[in-house]
């Protein structure tokens, strides 16, 4: 729903990705991970990317783990990266 907050939408994508629908939401999750305004959005996006095994997901997780200013986002990215190995 476009009226939902970005964080709620990110959680919705997490549910979809974690239940086998990552391909359908992958591009939207990547966009949130790269451009999300709040650390909450980026943290959920990082956790979601752990359910989407693609080169773009892995590259984005690496960038979040190394460059995001929020430690929670970095930790989520590291955990998701480990899940994809």
């Amino acid at each position: 729903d476009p009226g939902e907050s970005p964080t709620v939408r990110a959680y919705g994508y997490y549910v979809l990705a974690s239940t086998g629908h990552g391909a359908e939401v992958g591009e939207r999750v990547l966009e949130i991970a790269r451009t999300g305004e709040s650390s909450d959005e980026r943290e959920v996006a990082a956790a979601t990317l752990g359910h989407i095994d693609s080169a773009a997901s892995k590259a984005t997780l690496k960038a979040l783990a190394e460059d995001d200013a929020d430690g929670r986002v970095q930790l989520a990215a590291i955990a998701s990266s480990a899940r994809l190995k």
Side-chain angles (χ1 to χ4, degrees):
D1 179 359
E4 290 297 335
S5 77
T7 303
V8 170
R9 207 169 312 124
Y11 275 110
Y13 295 147
Y14 176 85
V15 170
L16 290 169
S18 67
T19 57
H21 300 282
E24 292 91 342
V25 297
E27 288 302 317
R28 286 174 269 180
V29 175
L30 287 166
E31 182 179 336
I32 293 169
R34 293 175 183 147
T35 65
E37 292 183 21
S38 78
S39 57
D40 290 339
E41 290 174 71
R42 295 190 313 278
E43 180 184 10
V44 175
T48 303
L49 290 175
H51 295 280
I52 303 171
D53 193 358
S54 70
S57 290
K58 291 174 183 176
T60 301
L61 288 168
K62 184 177 190 296
L64 289 172
E66 294 175 354
D67 301 329
D68 200 275
D70 191 296
R72 294 174 309 139
V73 176
Q74 290 177 324
L75 185 58
I78 291 166
S80 286
S81 293
R83 185 179 195 286
L84 293 176
K85 293 199 182 214

